[in-house]
Amino acid sequence: MTKTTFPSKKKRIVIVGGGFGGVAAAKKLAKASVEVALIDRRNYHLFQPLLYQVATAALNPSEIASPIRKIFRNSKNVHVGLGEVECVDLAQKEIFIQGESLSFDYLILAAGATHSYFGNDGWAKDAPGLKSIEDATEIRRRILLAFEAAELEEEAEARRARLTFVIIGGGPTGCELAGAIAEVARHSLPEDFRRIDTKTSRIILMDGGDRLLRGFPEECSTSALRQLESLGVEVQLQKRVTKISDDGVNCGEEFFATNNTFWAAGVKASPLGESLGVPLDRAGRVLVENDLSIPGHPHVFVIGDQAAITDPETDKAVPGVAQGAIQSGAFVGSLIRKELESLNRNQSPPARDAFFYFDKGNLATLGRYKAVADALGMKFGGFPAWFIWAAVHILFLVNFRNKVAVAWTWAWTYLRSDRNARLIIGDNTIKLKQAPKLD
């Protein structure tokens, strides 16, 4: 076992995760009189809310990702490291990365979340989720390959299964994905194929609850349902999936024949939290104190999707969305900075404040000029909600280049109904039940 060291004698803050929360915390600590080690298993910061646009060929991966080193190139006290953290030793104040240990004075865990199949992990092979660029390009491959296979398939039922897309989960990701696939089939592809009518594609959005977007007010759920149905999406509520295979989805005795199933129904926290030996909730999130530290370890914080945070003012759980991660990361970064500045002045650190979540509202897009919004005390849908959604997402992209690239790509896509990122990457093998006869 080797130990990673830094030459500086300054206090060391280790941040695990380069997502919204980790980057927000590091920015608060940048240029402070501390050493910051930001560790991630990817070398880039990913703007996850736009992953579904990569999955549906509207954007390229590089347009929603930015190298972490570039973000902090002018912050000389921030050291970026590539590696996957395996576990945390709270007693020794160390983390372990691929056989090496790294000590810390403060630790911020922001390792995020992954898919949850509710104990049915075997479904992942036939129903990929959407949490990474790899997931997005795999879903894109499957969507585009489905149309290519349908173009060649002679057997009618097999062709119909190729042109049926089932999305499981009626939250923001599921609704956005369903609406985008409908846009692809109805507007982007009809002119490109000769033997099939892509407009006849069947897009089914399933959810086990009695309405979509349960994190939104009921008026927004009703608006989302209406807008999705106007795109031709079939919304199937109160459907409990019991089996997923490569040829379809079972909901009890009901069977939906499809070769294209996508998962947007559940998440669980990074398994890194299990190494802490502290209480977790059912989703594997770490139960934290009001200051976001873990019980008994005031120098270890958990933020973002990895933490089970309750707002002390509302007594409600802080949702696992980007704004929650950004706010919690900025809060912890500021808290640590204030404490260390006090210690450097030989003063006692100030009493810690509790973290209060400021809910800026919720937005979800459903297709071109279609969206719902719950913001500033107002609930509305359609083009105004879509415009605000687009502006907010461009604003929160990390670098200027990405802002310009996404704005330009969206303008082209929505004016021309064209999606230039229609690249099938990976296995493009097509297995047909009945191949076309060649004259």
Side-chain angles (χ1 to χ4, degrees):
M1 180 72 65
T2 58
K3 184 183 288 290
T4 300
T5 60
F6 288 98
S8 174
K9 300 286 187 182
K10 297 176 182 177
K11 294 289 186 181
R12 182 183 305 151
I13 294 88
V14 173
I15 302 172
V16 179
F20 290 109
V23 167
K27 285 183 174 181
K28 287 294 182 180
L29 293 162
K31 300 180 182 178
S33 184
V34 295
E35 294 290 348
V36 179
L38 176 56
I39 312 297
D40 197 283
R41 60 194 182 97
R42 302 281 189 266
N43 76 326
Y44 53 83
H45 167 76
L46 176 64
F47 194 83
Q48 279 195 342
L50 292 180
L51 268 176
Y52 84 96
Q53 296 231 338
V54 174
T56 53
L59 295 174
N60 283 301
S62 62
E63 293 172 321
I64 65 166
S66 182
I68 298 173
R69 291 186 183 277
K70 181 178 180 181
I71 297 172
F72 293 101
R73 60 168 44 162
N74 295 320
S75 303
K76 302 305 180 183
N77 70 321
V78 179
H79 305 268
V80 178
L82 180 65
E84 185 160 7
V85 178
E86 298 158 345
C87 63
V88 178
D89 186 333
L90 293 176
Q92 297 298 319
K93 301 181 76 171
E94 292 179 332
I95 63 170
F96 294 90
I97 311 166
Q98 298 163 341
E100 294 191 359
S101 66
L102 176 64
S103 62
F104 60 82
D105 295 296
Y106 286 85
L107 175 65
I108 304 173
L109 293 179
T114 185
H115 319 296
S116 173
Y117 290 88
F118 308 114
N120 299 286
D121 291 346
W123 292 353
K125 175 176 68 72
D126 297 310
L130 187 56
K131 282 292 181 184
S132 67
I133 285 178
E134 292 85 353
D135 293 336
T137 54
E138 172 60 15
I139 290 175
R140 183 179 68 183
R141 183 188 73 85
R142 295 190 185 204
I143 292 171
L144 297 177
L145 203 59
F147 292 105
E148 296 291 343
E151 176 82 349
L152 299 175
E153 182 64 69
E154 290 289 336
E155 206 275 318
E157 288 188 11
R159 188 188 314 118
R160 191 62 184 157
R162 297 283 192 183
L163 293 176
T164 299
F165 301 84
V166 173
I167 301 94
I168 301 169
T173 298
C175 290
E176 290 168 347
L177 192 57
I181 295 174
E183 290 279 348
V184 170
R186 310 286 193 257
H187 300 288
S188 300
L189 296 182
E191 302 297 325
D192 291 5
F193 290 87
R194 302 293 178 264
R195 302 181 69 246
I196 59 170
D197 181 1
T198 63
K199 294 180 182 179
T200 65
S201 298
R202 189 181 182 196
I203 296 94
I204 303 169
L205 177 61
M206 292 182 178
D207 192 85
D210 58 359
R211 66 184 179 96
L212 301 174
L213 300 174
R214 288 192 293 275
F216 286 65
E218 193 164 349
E219 302 95 306
C220 292
S221 299
T222 302
S223 176
L225 174 63
R226 184 174 62 251
Q227 292 181 68
L228 285 170
E229 287 180 339
S230 73
L231 289 170
V233 176
E234 298 177 36
V235 178
Q236 302 265 354
L237 298 175
Q238 296 183 317
K239 295 290 184 183
R240 300 285 181 180
V241 175
T242 54
K243 182 182 177 182
I244 299 175
S245 62
D246 61 356
D247 60 356
V249 175
N250 288 84
C251 296
E253 298 299 319
E254 193 173 6
F255 179 71
F256 297 84
T258 178
N259 300 130
N260 316 292
T261 305
F262 306 118
W263 185 263
V267 296
K268 61 181 178 182
S270 165
L272 182 60
E274 298 172 4
S275 71
L276 298 174
V278 299
L280 310 175
D281 70 2
R282 289 189 299 176
R285 296 174 300 184
V286 179
L287 300 174
V288 295
E289 304 281 13
N290 284 345
D291 62 0
L292 307 186
S293 67
I294 65 175
H297 296 275
H299 295 91
V300 179
F301 301 85
V302 186
I303 61 175
D305 291 348
Q306 199 178 0
I309 306 172
T310 300
D311 188 301
E313 187 173 49
T314 63
D315 203 33
K316 293 181 179 179
V318 174
V321 294
Q323 59 177 312
I326 293 169
Q327 290 181 37
S328 60
F331 170 84
V332 169
S334 296
L335 183 155
I336 293 173
R337 184 167 184 164
K338 289 177 183 177
E339 287 194 351
L340 293 180
E341 286 174 350
S342 296
L343 291 173
N344 289 339
R345 295 193 297 266
N346 294 318
Q347 298 174 349
S348 298
R352 291 183 175 181
D353 295 325
F355 171 71
F356 292 94
Y357 174 62
F358 176 61
D359 189 351
K360 298 179 181 179
N362 287 315
L363 297 162
T365 182
L366 308 164
R368 185 171 51 172
Y369 310 137
K370 298 181 186 299
V372 291
D374 171 27
L376 304 175
M378 298 182 289
K379 305 168 185 63
F380 52 98
F383 178 78
W386 176 86
F387 182 81
I388 293 173
W389 172 90
V392 166
H393 282 69
I394 290 173
L395 177 66
F396 279 94
L397 285 164
V398 169
N399 64 50
F400 181 74
R401 177 189 175 279
N402 285 7
K403 295 177 194 289
V404 173
V406 169
W408 166 253
T409 302
W410 279 352
W412 181 265
T413 298
Y414 288 110
L415 288 173
R416 299 293 302 272
S417 295
D418 191 16
R419 293 173 183 252
N420 286 332
R422 300 205 313 262
L423 308 179
I424 298 175
I425 298 174
D427 183 12
N428 63 357
T429 304
I430 297 175
K431 296 179 180 179
L432 302 175
K433 283 197 173 181
Q434 184 177 335
K437 294 179 181 179
L438 300 177
D439 295 333

